[in-house]
Amino acid sequence: MNYFIADTHFYHYQLLEPNNFAPRHFGNVDEMNQAMIDAWNARVDENDRVYHLGDISMRPQNTPTDAETYDMLRQLNGHMTLIKGNHDYRSLFKFLDKHNKTMADGKSRFEFEDVGSLLKFDHHQFYCTHYPMLLGKVDKIINLHGHIHHYAVPIPENINVGVDAPERDYLSEDLPWGSPLRGEEILEMYDKKKEDLARLQRK
């Protein structure tokens, strides 16, 4: 099964402070990191793939070492397709590739994309990127993205899959904070966001 997530920002202690961009209500960064690990592993098993749409980790003024970020990722289940975000450095991807491991199914644990990935789900196409794209008039194409944290693009075809995304409020199931999202949940978010925006336009 495929899952989707963005903007985990492991180690990013500034997000613990009151802010409008990505407020995370934890006592310390260790609690925040562990909450994301637990939520991820509760859903994802070793045969699943998680598309991480950028910004794995960050520590302002003192960027986590590549080894620290690798240590965080190796605690997470499944295969990962890592799409480069603005806080992901080339050196990190090179380090992860050097320490890449072959899983039981013969596939590598990590795959890397500089710009994005395209995949099909239930007669839709998911364009997975870090930055939101303005696709124009499209049919059954949804841009999954991150980058803007607690904000949303007012276009139904742009779905923020980040940890802090407001579109998560559309889900009928109250998922633990930090949970990667399934394709069915993406479509639920899309349908409800589309209805919500249409209702606002009618007012």
Side-chain angles (χ1 to χ4, degrees), residues 53 82-84 112-117 128-131 133:
L53 278 56
L82 303 174
I83 296 169
K84 190 176 182 297
F112 308 95
E113 296 287 350
D114 280 345
V115 178
S117 291
C128 302
T129 59
H130 178 63
Y131 302 100
M133 300 172 63

Side-chain angles (χ1 to χ4, degrees), residues 34-73:
Q34 193 61 52
M36 288 188 283
I37 292 169
D38 292 344
W40 180 304
N41 289 340
R43 307 202 93 190
V44 178
D45 67 30
E46 289 304 308
N47 297 313
D48 294 327
R49 176 166 297 278
V50 181
Y51 288 80
H52 191 301
L53 278 56
D55 288 2
I56 301 166
S57 63
M58 182 179 179
R59 185 188 294 137
Q61 289 83 49
N62 183 16
T63 302
T65 66
D66 297 335
E68 285 178 309
T69 300
Y70 172 70
D71 184 62
M72 194 64 62
L73 290 177

Side-chain angles (χ1 to χ4, degrees), residues 175-190:
L175 299 176
W177 182 84
S179 298
L181 300 166
R182 296 194 302 261
E184 295 88 350
E185 290 159 344
I186 299 295
L187 294 185
E188 180 184 7
M189 293 160 69
Y190 165 71

Side-chain angles (χ1 to χ4, degrees), residues 82-100:
L82 303 174
I83 296 169
K84 190 176 182 297
N86 55 302
H87 294 297
D88 299 319
Y89 296 96
R90 187 74 56 202
S91 64
L92 171 63
F93 280 17
K94 288 181 177 178
F95 184 92
L96 295 176
D97 193 35
K98 182 179 178 180
H99 294 83
N100 216 343

Side-chain angles (χ1 to χ4, degrees), residues 167-175 185 188-189 192:
E167 281 97 327
R168 288 173 177 260
D169 291 341
Y170 288 122
L171 293 173
S172 54
E173 182 181 357
D174 187 16
L175 299 176
E185 290 159 344
E188 180 184 7
M189 293 160 69
K192 291 182 178 178

